[in-house]
Amino acid sequence: MPTLKPVAAPPIQGVVPALNELPGFSPGDAIRVGVRSPIGHYRVPIYLRGKTGTVVQVIEPAMVDNEAEGFGKNAGSKRHYYRISIPMTQVWADYQGSPRDELRIEIFETWLERV
Amino acid sequence: MTHTSHIHDDGSHHDHDHPHAEISVGEKPGYYAVMETAVRELLIAKGLITANDIRHQLEVLDSRTPALGAKVVARAWVDPGFKARLLADGRAACEEFGISFYDDTQLIVLENTPAVHNLIVCTLCSCYPRPVLGLPPDWYKLKPYRARAVSEPRVVLREFGTIIPDDVEVRVSDSTSAVRYLVLPMRPAGTENLGEEQLAALVTRDAMIGVIPVTLDQEVGQ
Amino acid sequence: MSGSEDLVRRLPNDIGGFAAGSVQRVEHDLLPWEKSCHALADVLDFTKIINTEEKRRGVEALGETMIGQLSYYERWIVAFANILFAKQILSPTELAMKMAEVEARHVDAGDARG
């Protein structure tokens, strides 16, 4: 299906984007979900820590990181986040179902490592 | 204390005495209802919110039911251009259709096809496409569905009477952030002669969560 | 990982993949106070007095015992109270006195009928 939304292109010559202005990952990139254990508030479920998958989509617009938003931050320092696809057989060692079954989830850039 | 029925987080459904009895006319409100009234009235007295803000939001909530989502689905079934826009940007297409989004959420519409079956869940809380479906049912917010939909979706689907063949991919979307999902179910066979409104009448809330398909049986009794 | 560490590192709402019973298709029409609580939550988010993410964090902070025993909107209103105390918008005594006042209205109404 052709996308109907304009997609941002890499900056043309002479255009310098701000730090963290452009998403660091693109659709198709292989990623691993971080394995750290923040306390207090997080939105990356433990069942996905350390799992590897693929970026499906960059979600626009960038948002306030929900680990900061949970403590009252309502603006500033927006982060890119991404729709990620992970095979169910990756997530659950004993998964019962088709090997093509997938989990999809949105994760902030701060949690993604390039594989 | 009134004998009341109460749904627990683990999904069990006990009948027992509880301090949070249902309110009926002439009955004293329960502890938590009193707390809600007190918090609301204090915030209004301090000028932080107004009674009208609350009254208006109650009207907003009352106006959002699965009938809206059903209209979106039926339109997508009859209008390929709309369907393409809906799949490209769910929120923008719903807004184009006249359904406003009263919160900051985005909407990703997930198309069920003969090759892919989508199911939505929020394992961490109860994220749900409220602007287009209204408030979620209790089972969506309770532990059995939240815990198991991501690890054994086919077993959970069977509990709803839905058998997905092995050659169909099951795709579970777990909502954690500002993105909400709506499942665009498959249009059932035998509906070629139905109009948009008749089609919308077939589309149930549970089909837009992805736990059941849309079937012609739904028409019975409507 | 020791048992006590896990209590800190895993939020009590983080249950994806846990063993659980079969899905019972329970639902109920919201009670008037529950609906009012939902409208309050939305207004608190619109005004950013308590944003949605703070509400989630506030519910998590109630801990497993309360999360298990309070119903959905009971968790919300208790979380709101705690967050409003933390932000010094309300004080515990202020809320207690207001709750006593609200309760007294209904006692009075009952007496009047009697």
Side-chain angles (χ1 to χ4, degrees):
Chain A
M1 170 126 2
T3 175
L4 299 167
K5 287 202 299 180
V7 177
I12 59 174
Q13 197 184 356
V15 171
V16 179
L19 208 58
N20 297 323
E21 182 184 354
L22 299 180
F25 294 88
S26 307
D29 287 355
I31 55 87
R32 176 181 290 111
V33 181
V35 289
R36 60 181 179 273
S37 294
I39 65 168
H41 184 63
Y42 59 77
R43 294 295 286 181
V44 177
I46 284 180
Y47 77 86
L48 283 178
R49 307 281 168 84
K51 307 297 180 190
T52 53
T54 310
V55 174
V56 176
Q57 186 185 342
V58 182
I59 308 287
E60 301 285 2
M63 307 280 295
V64 174
D65 186 333
N66 39 27
E67 287 174 26
E69 197 181 9
F71 294 90
K73 184 180 175 71
N74 290 309
S77 305
K78 293 190 173 179
R79 298 286 188 178
H80 294 284
Y81 69 125
Y82 303 86
R83 185 156 172 79
I84 303 296
S85 161
I86 305 179
M88 282 290 190
T89 49
Q90 258 278 323
V91 184
W92 315 105
D94 55 350
Y95 183 72
Q96 303 287 312
S98 162
R100 291 190 295 123
D101 290 357
E102 273 183 15
L103 191 283
R104 297 223 171 168
I105 192 162
E106 278 70 42
I107 300 182
F108 273 90
E109 193 164 285
T110 47
W111 275 92
L112 300 182
E113 298 161 6
R114 206 171 290 280
V115 175
Chain B
M1 187 61 56
T2 314
H3 192 70
T4 187
S5 176
H6 175 69
I7 298 162
H8 282 253
D9 195 50
D10 61 0
S12 62
H13 202 167
H14 300 299
D15 284 313
H16 55 188
D17 286 337
H18 242 273
H20 37 267
E22 294 191 21
I23 305 165
S24 60
V25 177
E27 229 177 86
K28 276 170 62 175
Y31 176 74
Y32 299 95
V34 168
M35 190 182 295
E36 190 276 330
T37 302
V39 168
R40 176 167 35 84
E41 291 187 1
L42 283 169
L43 294 176
I44 291 169
K46 288 171 191 288
L48 293 167
I49 62 173
T50 70
N52 195 52
D53 292 339
I54 301 291
R55 211 158 29 234
H56 187 86
Q57 187 57 22
L58 284 168
E59 281 179 32
V60 172
L61 293 174
D62 280 341
S63 77
R64 308 309 174 106
T65 72
L68 292 178
K71 283 182 186 171
V72 171
V73 168
R75 171 63 58 89
W77 283 347
V78 300
D79 180 345
F82 178 74
K83 178 176 155 183
R85 296 194 294 283
L86 186 68
L87 295 175
D89 185 336
R91 176 171 177 150
C94 287
E95 287 171 339
E96 166 205 315
F97 191 64
I99 300 173
S100 68
F101 273 51
Y102 57 81
D103 52 24
D104 295 330
T105 56
Q106 298 296 315
L107 184 71
I108 292 182
V109 176
L110 307 163
E111 183 185 17
N112 281 352
T113 68
V116 177
H117 182 90
N118 288 281
L119 181 68
I120 69 175
V121 63
C122 173
T123 59
L124 294 175
C125 55
S126 54
C127 300
Y128 190 73
R130 294 165 208 259
V132 284
L133 289 189
L135 304 182
D138 289 301
W139 59 258
Y140 184 87
K141 304 189 283 188
L142 294 170
K143 184 175 180 182
Y145 185 76
R146 285 171 46 205
R148 297 173 52 235
V150 284
S151 56
E152 42 181 13
R154 288 170 184 267
V155 182
V156 169
L157 284 165
R158 264 204 298 280
E159 288 165 15
F160 285 87
T162 304
I163 314 271
I164 303 297
D166 285 345
D167 59 344
V168 175
E169 175 189 333
V170 170
R171 200 175 280 172
V172 181
S173 290
D174 186 359
S175 195
T176 60
S177 194
V179 174
R180 302 289 177 271
Y181 314 111
L182 181 76
V183 174
L184 174 58
M186 282 195 285
R187 179 173 175 167
T191 58
E192 294 74 17
N193 298 320
L194 297 185
E196 194 175 328
E197 220 168 291
Q198 292 167 301
L199 288 169
L202 299 177
V203 182
T204 63
R205 175 196 70 199
D206 291 359
M208 292 181 279
I209 296 173
V211 290
I212 58 170
V214 174
T215 58
L216 270 171
D217 311 341
Q218 191 53 37
E219 207 172 20
V220 177
Q222 295 240 352
Chain C
M1 183 185 306
S2 81
S4 81
E5 265 178 48
D6 195 42
L7 288 175
V8 179
R9 289 152 75 122
R10 179 187 282 276
L11 296 173
N13 59 308
D14 188 358
I15 58 173
F18 276 27
S22 61
V23 178
Q24 307 297 312
R25 291 162 82 168
V26 286
E27 42 193 300
H28 79 289
D29 289 329
L30 294 195
L31 303 173
W33 86 265
E34 292 178 315
K35 200 186 263 189
S36 180
C37 186
H38 198 106
L40 176 63
D42 286 341
V43 170
L44 289 173
D45 179 53
F46 299 158
T47 52
K48 299 301 175 202
I49 295 168
I50 299 176
N51 71 42
T52 296
E53 205 65 48
E54 288 176 283
K55 177 193 71 193
R56 291 173 181 150
R57 197 250 309 157
V59 169
E60 291 155 10
L62 296 175
E64 198 146 16
T65 307
M66 272 204 250
I67 288 176
Q69 293 188 33
L70 273 62
S71 71
Y72 189 73
Y73 289 103
E74 291 169 357
R75 299 194 287 267
W76 281 24
I77 195 61
V78 176
F80 289 159
N82 286 331
I83 295 167
L84 292 167
F85 300 152
K87 293 190 172 202
Q88 301 179 44
I89 291 172
L90 300 183
S91 75
T93 290
E94 194 178 15
L95 180 60
M97 288 173 72
K98 188 70 181 180
M99 285 178 69
E101 180 202 315
V102 172
E103 209 157 21
R105 288 177 206 160
H106 294 275
V107 173
D108 292 346
D111 290 347
R113 273 197 311 277

